[in-house]
Amino acid sequence: MDSLSEQLEEVRSRAEACLSSPCSAHEVRAGVCAMANLPLPPSAKYQHISAEAMVKENSTGNNKKEIIGSLQRLSTALNILEKYGSNLTSSSRPKYWRTVKHNNPVFRATVDAIKGGRAVLCLYGYTNQQADGLSFPEDVQEPDLQKVPSVTLEVMSLRMELDMLIQASHPHPEFFESLVPSVFQQEEKMLAFPSDAPWEKEDTPMVAATPSKTSSSTKPTDNCTICGIFPVSAQCPVCVQRLCSECDRLYHSHPARSSHSRIAVAHNKPSKSISASLSSWQCVHCTTYNTMQEVLCGTCERPRLASTAPAASSNPQEAQPSTIAAEWQCKSCTMVNAGSSVLCEVCERPRLATRPPAAPSRPAAPTLHLRDSQWVCQFCTYANHTPSSVCEMCDLPRPEPAPLPPKLRTPSPVREFLQLSIKPKASPTEDPDAKRQRLMREEGLKLIQLIREGERKGVSPEEVYASVRVSGDTSVMPCNWLKAELPRLLDEICARAALALPDHRALQPELSGCSNGSQEQLSRGVQLSRDEAKRAWLAAGGDIERAVKQALRERKAKMKELSALGFSDAARCGEALRQCGGEVRKALVMLQRPLLEPFHQRMWSNQPEPSINIHLPDKQRVCRRLLAVYDLPSWGRSELALSLLQDPTAPYTLEDVVQAVRESHDRDFIRRVLAKECPICLSVFPHSKMQSLTSCQCSVCCGCFKQHFTIAVRDKHIRDMVCPVCWEPDINDPEHLNSYFSTLDIQLRECLEPEVYELFHQKLTEQALIKDPKFLWCSHCSYGFIYDGDQLKVTCFHCRNSFCAQCKKPWESQHTGLSCEQFQSWKRENDPEYQRQGLAGYLRDNGITCPNCRFQYALARGGCMHFCCSQCRYQFCSGCNNPFHTTCPVIQCSVTGLHAHHPRDCLFYLRDWEPARLQALLQKEAVAFNTDTPPGTQAGLCGVIEQKVGQQTDSACGAQTQPGQAGLCEKHYTEYLVSLINGHSIDPAPLYNANELLLACRRYQVEEPRREAEDDRTYYSRLLKILMDNVPLGDKVPRKK
């Protein structure tokens, strides 16, 4: 054990190191596999988690299949817990690693559904209980990087051991045999094996959920799984085999299986199972005991489910023995066969075949020794005359390779055969035993041929045997005889049963409550169905008299069983059995259907469940209704819910209290859950009436949640649809944008109106299409769509108006065949309205274009240069199209807050120059500009359309104009001159004075020290040349000529 402990510590340290460091998944799995394969019990292997308790408490079920299913659910929950631990040990932990939400459906279906799941989370460090989950304490900043890998390793190892245990590949399953013993046992039915013979099948009454002390279960003695002949003497849990002593010796003599430990199997004498009569049943919903006559529960009015078994009666006089036989002995060859077989394994005769007539008695012959080549089969007693290894009659193997001793003892339990002096071919008369065996073989082969012929035509072996016995003529085909004669015989059995008076003494208590009509009907006899008559006829071997008596006995037992289940009307019970072919379960369903009709009507009606009156004086009845109707986990939770509902200081609703009680049993915690304050309207709501986003921890009431997102969808941009409390998350990142809206869409589908939800999807679609280079905005209605054509004229799908795909101007017939520049020149020369607008029209046509979504605005750039696109919420400078941001990507930048980096030819800097200085720059580059006021314009007022703060619509500037500025105010005339400078890519640096030059060099990080004995003129000229060579003009500045 010391060496194994040292090996365990070495494996644990190596695996924990792999979990703590960024190792490959193969290395981690190798360490976990090494720990899982160590031959140590769980109590010695697992130091942190309670492995034995988790396996024992979570392995529930009535049979092996159900227990394996519960172990699979435990393995799934451990897989989820493993992911929690892996996230904590990972170097890149998730954003919200500190909390675990209880309302997560995956958590509730896996971790919270097993016992011990939350204890593992506490080992990880989630020890602080909150209203909606678990979290790390506030003073803990990082997980315990020593304990968390150890717990995670144990979770992974236990999950791997459970998987190997389920797949029967665990190298050391003996350590789990005491925890889940049902997994290592063969599935054995508590009753005897059912027979394939239909005459031996009877519908047994419903067994009680708690078995009676007087009843005992029957365990069949099965045979060896290898030879199938001798009884089982040992069971091997490693190779899952049940073997006889000889096969166990041979099978485990192999070196690979010699170390297997076997369990001795004791053979008990099978006893008949007793099914107790039934007097009451317990409701699985509210645990109330009801009488057998009640189909619906008297407290919760729920029906008695099929899976619920009624309680057993303690009256031993009402017990009836089970008629299902585990084994049967052949009447011909005395071979004991399994209950599921129809033909004898040795002589292949049917199970109801009679024993052949015994040979005539004769004086015992002197016992002679058999030859070495002669031997008697111990199964069928056939004397074989050849030294073969199998019997000529039954084809079973010879038991021992050596010849038998001179005095043979036959294994037949019926009688002993005399030792005969065998001299084949020498005796003048045929040996009587040989003759008997020959006749038995001929009759058996003939019957087998008839049975196989019947099976091809859909006739059972029992029917073939009974038809041969009744007809007495083997030359007649049984199928033809059954088709012609069987209906008449069944009708005769039914008629005789109807003439026979039933025995009313056993049913006297039940008959006392019957009506006169029912008693008259009973006095006319028993009405059998053909199925009942056929089963009785087969059970009687074709004897009509015996069949009638058998049918009456079975009917009496079934009537008594139905009477014990609460149905005392014998006439109705008899009619139900007749219609259902004598099957008790089907008859019980037919009798219960009228009693369940009120429940069905209430279940299928649109009316809600009847409300529970919590003010009834019978508190136990109210608790039981809460337990049944709302499926509370325990009786204590039901009492807790009732106490909260009856609290006068806290008027809670029933649904809110029930949902809170399901999540926790802590009264203070439930009160906190039921009293949440909305941070917007400051009203108090229960936790179930609050809505929260997945991106933050804020919670608001459903009304405020719906109102906020309705206004955001209708009046704001898609990027404004964030939390109304903390305004998280920042969805400028495309990756966060897609993941955020995929979860938000599910919440909005439930709370928004249909038209608002449709508008939300439309905006979401436009937001995704903006990134496509073929996406266009309509200049008439602001509708966006994808355009794949190559023509300039585009027709909007929404408003059916046309516009130019390149310049985005409304389409005119004069644009056909002309480029956009040629069309603008034509409008300036020939359009009177355009000429009347003058430079105001020029500034409108050369308005602001969003660099992100390419949406155009017919607005001037004067005033604030910070522009926010109303379509995509992109923030940029209207003079140079550079983005505005709060987190600057430039490392050397020391500016905080919202800002942008502008080039030196941006309007942001040139708007401070005087118009005369800008005109001088244009004259230096020989660029013409306008100074005259256009005819027809309003004198003295600027008519440029601009966006004004506090107004919903755009309007004209209205500022005073100056002479020599083309009818514009100074601000917009400056913008006009700067647009010409940008359109011709003119560098304004040559007109810088000394201070402007030095400021520009500091702004663009141009550092050039002054040389010795260098004058100002030479230094500034050299500095200007370095600035113009190293710092280019803005690459995003609009340069429309």
Side-chain angles (χ1 to χ4, degrees):
M1 182 62 72
D2 294 338
S3 60
L4 288 177
S5 302
E6 295 175 358
Q7 185 178 358
L8 174 63
E9 292 300 326
E10 181 182 356
V11 170
R12 287 182 66 98
S13 60
R14 185 166 59 250
E16 290 174 7
C18 292
L19 285 173
S20 303
S21 59
C23 297
S24 63
H26 180 72
E27 296 176 352
V28 174
R29 181 171 178 84
V32 174
C33 185
M35 180 176 176
N37 290 327
L38 287 176
L40 288 173
S43 59
K45 187 182 299 184
Y46 300 100
Q47 303 174 1
H48 298 284
I49 66 175
S50 301
E52 291 186 348
M54 292 182 68
V55 174
K56 185 178 297 183
E57 293 176 356
N58 292 283
S59 58
T60 58
N62 298 325
N63 50 41
K64 180 178 179 181
K65 182 177 181 182
E66 294 180 1
I67 293 177
I68 289 180
S70 64
L71 293 180
Q72 289 175 345
R73 290 190 293 271
L74 176 60
S75 175
T76 304
L78 291 176
N79 188 17
I80 301 300
L81 290 172
E82 172 188 329
K83 289 180 171 56
Y84 280 113
S86 300
N87 289 338
L88 294 178
T89 57
S90 175
S91 58
S92 58
R93 288 191 290 270
K95 185 176 182 181
Y96 301 105
W97 61 271
R98 298 183 60 85
T99 59
V100 175
K101 298 293 184 181
H102 288 169
N103 56 1
N104 189 327
V106 177
F107 176 84
R108 294 177 64 180
T110 55
V111 179
D112 219 18
I114 66 169
K115 297 180 181 179
R118 295 197 181 186
V120 178
L121 292 177
C122 292
L123 294 176
Y124 283 151
Y126 295 100
T127 57
N128 189 16
Q129 184 173 1
Q130 296 182 348
D132 54 351
L134 300 174
S135 67
F136 274 78
E138 295 182 357
D139 55 344
V140 178
Q141 302 298 328
E142 293 289 333
D144 190 350
L145 297 182
Q146 293 182 353
K147 185 177 181 180
V148 172
S150 300
V151 177
T152 306
L153 175 63
E154 292 186 0
V155 170
M156 298 171 73
S157 176
L158 180 59
R159 183 175 72 87
M160 181 172 290
E161 287 200 69
L162 288 177
D163 291 341
M164 292 189 295
L165 202 63
I166 294 171
Q167 299 171 3
S169 60
H170 199 290
H172 308 287
E174 61 273 6
F175 297 129
F176 290 88
E177 187 172 357
S178 60
L179 303 179
V180 281
S182 300
V183 177
F184 302 93
Q185 298 177 1
Q186 294 283 344
E187 291 192 33
E188 299 178 354
K189 299 183 179 178
M190 298 302 295
L191 296 177
F193 292 139
S195 173
D196 288 342
W199 58 82
E200 291 194 3
K201 293 183 180 178
E202 282 192 7
D203 291 286
T204 59
M206 299 172 64
V207 184
T210 304
S212 175
K213 294 181 180 180
T214 59
S215 63
S216 60
S217 60
T218 301
K219 183 176 180 181
T221 57
D222 50 349
N223 294 338
C224 175
T225 56
I226 295 181
C227 66
I229 301 175
F230 298 102
V232 175
S233 62
Q235 175 183 349
C236 180
V238 180
C239 53
V240 194
Q241 297 281 356
R242 296 172 63 84
L243 310 172
C244 63
S245 58
E246 185 65 19
C247 292
D248 177 50
R249 182 183 64 81
L250 295 175
Y251 185 75
H252 286 94
S253 62
H254 192 273
R257 297 184 288 269
S258 60
S259 61
H260 293 183
S261 60
R262 277 89 73 193
I263 303 173
V265 177
H267 297 285
N268 299 325
K269 184 177 181 180
S271 61
K272 296 182 179 180
S273 65
I274 304 300
S275 175
S277 64
L278 311 170
S279 61
S280 63
W281 59 277
Q282 185 181 17
C283 179
V284 295
H285 299 285
C286 65
T287 69
T288 301
Y289 282 90
N290 304 273
T291 61
M292 291 309 303
Q293 288 77 7
E294 296 179 354
V295 178
L296 300 179
C297 177
T299 302
C300 65
E301 298 182 2
R302 288 291 191 276
R304 180 175 66 219
L305 302 181
S307 59
T308 304
S313 174
S314 60
N315 187 4
Q317 296 178 358
E318 298 179 358
Q320 296 180 3
S322 174
T323 59
I324 304 177
E327 299 171 343
W328 60 277
Q329 187 179 32
C330 180
K331 298 180 181 180
S332 300
C333 65
T334 69
M335 175 64 186
V336 178
N337 301 273
S340 59
S341 61
V342 178
L343 299 179
C344 177
E345 296 179 0
V346 175
C347 62
E348 296 186 356
R349 293 177 66 87
R351 66 187 298 175
L352 290 185
T354 57
R355 183 176 182 85
S361 61
R362 55 189 177 88
T367 303
L368 298 177
H369 295 283
L370 293 177
R371 298 180 181 177
D372 293 342
S373 61
Q374 299 174 356
W375 57 281
V376 177
C377 179
Q378 65 176 358
F379 299 106
C380 65
T381 68
Y382 182 77
N384 296 270
H385 302 283
T386 59
S388 60
S389 60
V390 296
C391 179
E392 297 179 358
M393 176 62 67
C394 62
D395 293 333
L396 287 178
R398 188 173 181 176
E400 295 181 3
L404 293 176
K407 293 184 180 180
L408 296 177
R409 295 182 61 187
T410 59
S412 174
V414 180
R415 66 183 182 86
E416 296 182 357
F417 291 90
L418 299 176
Q419 300 277 346
L420 301 178
S421 176
I422 302 175
K423 293 182 178 180
K425 299 181 182 180
S427 178
T429 59
E430 186 177 3
D431 187 6
D433 286 342
K435 182 178 180 180
R436 179 181 65 83
Q437 293 183 6
R438 179 176 57 80
L439 294 176
M440 182 177 65
R441 181 180 180 87
E442 292 176 357
E443 292 177 4
L445 292 176
K446 186 182 298 183
L447 184 58
I448 289 173
Q449 183 178 1
L450 293 176
I451 289 175
R452 290 175 178 172
E453 182 69 23
E455 288 179 348
R456 286 194 291 267
K457 296 183 178 181
V459 181
S460 65
E462 292 81 9
E463 293 175 336
V464 173
Y465 172 73
S467 63
V468 172
R469 181 177 180 182
V470 173
S471 63
D473 188 2
T474 56
S475 62
V476 179
M477 292 301 296
C479 300
N480 299 334
W481 187 90
L482 290 172
K483 186 175 181 182
E485 300 295 333
L486 183 58
R488 180 185 60 80
L489 294 178
L490 297 181
D491 292 340
E492 183 178 353
I493 294 174
C494 294
R496 292 191 182 187
L499 294 176
L501 293 178
D503 186 8
H504 298 311
R505 290 176 298 176
L507 302 178
Q508 192 63 34
E510 290 79 2
L511 290 177
S512 60
C514 297
S515 60
N516 295 331
S518 300
Q519 293 184 5
E520 292 178 0
Q521 185 177 357
L522 285 174
S523 63
R524 293 197 297 266
V526 179
Q527 303 295 326
L528 295 178
S529 63
R530 279 196 172 184
D531 292 337
E532 292 178 278
K534 185 177 180 179
R535 285 195 294 269
W537 180 73
L538 292 175
D543 191 343
I544 295 180
E545 293 295 336
R546 290 177 55 197
V548 173
K549 294 179 181 180
Q550 178 71 18
L552 292 177
R553 284 196 301 268
E554 292 179 356
R555 173 60 69 89
K556 177 182 175 181
K558 295 173 183 177
M559 292 285 289
K560 191 173 182 180
E561 185 176 349
L562 291 176
S563 176
L565 292 175
F567 298 96
S568 57
D569 193 344
R572 289 183 54 200
C573 294
E575 182 62 21
L577 287 172
R578 187 189 66 81
Q579 295 181 9
C580 298
E583 297 187 18
V584 178
R585 291 189 179 274
K586 291 184 179 180
L588 185 61
V589 172
M590 180 179 293
L591 292 172
Q592 288 178 343
R593 187 176 293 116
L595 301 178
L596 291 172
E597 188 64 27
F599 173 76
H600 290 161
Q601 294 294 335
R602 187 172 71 250
M603 183 177 62
W604 291 108
S605 62
N606 295 328
Q607 298 179 357
E609 187 78 19
S611 60
I612 299 177
N613 187 5
I614 61 174
H615 302 291
L616 289 176
D618 190 358
K619 303 302 181 185
Q620 187 177 12
R621 181 180 180 87
V622 177
C623 288
R624 290 189 183 278
R625 284 190 60 84
L626 289 173
L627 189 66
V629 175
Y630 293 99
D631 194 19
L632 294 179
S634 64
W635 178 265
R637 299 283 182 97
S638 180
E639 291 180 335
L640 177 60
L642 181 59
S643 63
L644 290 171
L645 290 172
Q646 292 178 344
D647 188 358
T649 61
Y652 306 127
T653 62
L654 177 60
E655 289 74 14
D656 296 335
V657 171
V658 167
Q659 185 173 355
V661 168
R662 285 174 182 169
E663 296 179 358
S664 175
H665 59 82
D666 188 359
R667 183 183 294 269
D668 296 334
F669 172 75
I670 293 175
R671 290 184 181 276
R672 292 195 301 269
V673 169
L674 294 175
K676 290 280 188 177
E677 184 181 51
C678 176
I680 297 180
C681 64
L682 303 181
S683 301
V684 177
F685 296 93
H687 181 69
S688 60
K689 299 296 189 300
M690 303 288 284
Q691 288 271 11
S692 60
L693 299 175
T694 58
S695 58
C696 62
Q697 304 294 325
C698 306
S699 297
V700 296
C701 66
C702 297
C704 295
F705 186 86
K706 177 180 179 180
Q707 184 179 8
H708 166 71
F709 282 101
T710 300
I711 296 175
V713 171
R714 286 178 173 172
D715 303 333
K716 296 183 180 180
H717 189 259
I718 193 72
R719 295 179 182 269
D720 292 329
M721 303 185 67
V722 292
C723 176
V725 180
C726 62
W727 300 102
E728 289 289 339
D730 183 11
I731 53 179
N732 291 322
D733 188 0
E735 295 183 0
H736 291 169
L737 184 71
N738 295 333
S739 60
Y740 171 71
F741 280 114
S742 62
T743 55
L744 180 64
D745 176 73
I746 302 174
Q747 294 179 277
L748 297 184
R749 187 188 299 119
E750 301 295 334
C751 68
L752 294 183
E753 299 294 334
E755 60 274 7
V756 181
Y757 180 72
E758 184 178 355
L759 180 60
F760 163 71
H761 261 277
Q762 179 181 344
K763 288 190 174 183
L764 201 61
T765 304
E766 291 178 352
Q767 180 69 24
L769 294 178
I770 283 176
K771 304 174 184 178
D772 197 307
K774 298 180 181 179
F775 182 79
L776 296 178
W777 291 103
C778 177
S779 61
H780 299 279
C781 65
S782 300
Y783 178 77
F785 56 92
I786 300 293
Y787 178 67
D788 292 330
D790 53 357
Q791 297 181 357
L792 292 179
K793 182 180 179 180
V794 181
T795 302
C796 177
F797 298 103
H798 187 259
C799 64
R800 310 306 300 176
N801 293 322
S802 301
F803 62 95
C804 178
Q806 185 173 352
C807 63
K808 310 299 188 299
K809 301 297 187 297
W811 185 262
E812 299 182 21
S813 59
Q814 292 79 8
H815 201 332
T816 306
L818 300 178
S819 63
C820 295
E821 291 77 9
Q822 293 173 349
F823 175 66
Q824 292 297 327
S825 300
W826 179 88
K827 285 182 67 69
R828 286 194 295 269
E829 296 174 358
N830 301 283
D831 191 348
E833 180 65 21
Y834 191 86
Q835 293 174 356
R836 185 186 66 81
Q837 294 176 359
L839 294 183
Y842 170 81
L843 292 177
R844 182 196 62 195
D845 293 339
N846 295 273
I848 302 173
T849 301
C850 176
N852 185 49
C853 65
R854 302 180 302 280
F855 191 81
Q856 291 188 344
Y857 299 89
L859 301 173
R861 296 180 177 84
C864 180
M865 306 302 296
H866 173 256
F867 192 85
C868 182
C869 179
S870 62
Q871 299 296 324
C872 65
R873 291 292 175 173
Y874 185 70
Q875 303 180 62
F876 61 97
C877 173
S878 61
C880 60
N881 289 338
N882 282 346
F884 271 85
H885 36 61
T886 55
T887 304
C888 186
V890 180
I891 301 177
Q892 297 82 3
C893 179
S894 60
V895 181
T896 59
L898 186 67
H899 68 284
H901 293 272
H902 309 274
R904 61 178 177 272
D905 58 340
C906 177
L907 180 61
F908 183 80
Y909 297 124
L910 296 180
R911 63 181 175 177
D912 297 331
W913 288 21
E914 294 294 333
R917 191 179 182 189
L918 296 174
Q919 290 175 351
L921 182 61
L922 291 172
Q923 289 174 353
K924 182 179 178 181
E925 299 294 334
V927 177
F929 53 88
N930 196 354
T931 58
D932 299 330
T933 302
T937 58
Q938 186 178 1
L941 297 177
C942 178
V944 176
I945 302 299
E946 64 180 6
Q947 189 181 44
K948 296 185 178 180
V949 179
Q951 295 184 4
Q952 297 293 333
T953 59
D954 304 327
S955 59
C957 173
Q960 191 68 31
T961 61
Q962 300 294 330
Q965 294 182 358
L968 301 177
C969 64
E970 183 176 349
K971 176 180 64 176
H972 290 115
Y973 188 68
T974 301
E975 180 182 344
Y976 160 69
L977 296 177
V978 173
S979 66
L980 294 178
I981 293 173
N982 293 334
H984 291 80
S985 300
I986 300 176
D987 194 341
L991 295 186
Y992 282 169
N993 55 32
N995 293 331
E996 291 175 340
L997 179 60
L998 294 176
L999 182 60
C1001 290
R1002 285 197 301 269
R1003 182 185 302 126
Y1004 302 113
Q1005 286 87 35
V1006 177
E1007 298 180 359
E1008 181 64 24
R1010 184 191 294 267
R1011 298 173 182 174
E1012 295 182 1
E1014 187 177 18
D1015 57 355
D1016 292 344
R1017 182 180 181 85
T1018 305
Y1019 173 68
Y1020 290 145
S1021 299
R1022 186 167 57 84
L1023 194 61
L1024 177 62
K1025 185 177 184 306
I1026 295 174
L1027 176 66
M1028 296 178 63
D1029 293 342
N1030 297 341
V1031 182
L1033 300 178
D1035 56 342
K1036 298 181 181 179
V1037 175
R1039 304 193 183 279
K1040 299 179 181 179
K1041 296 184 180 180

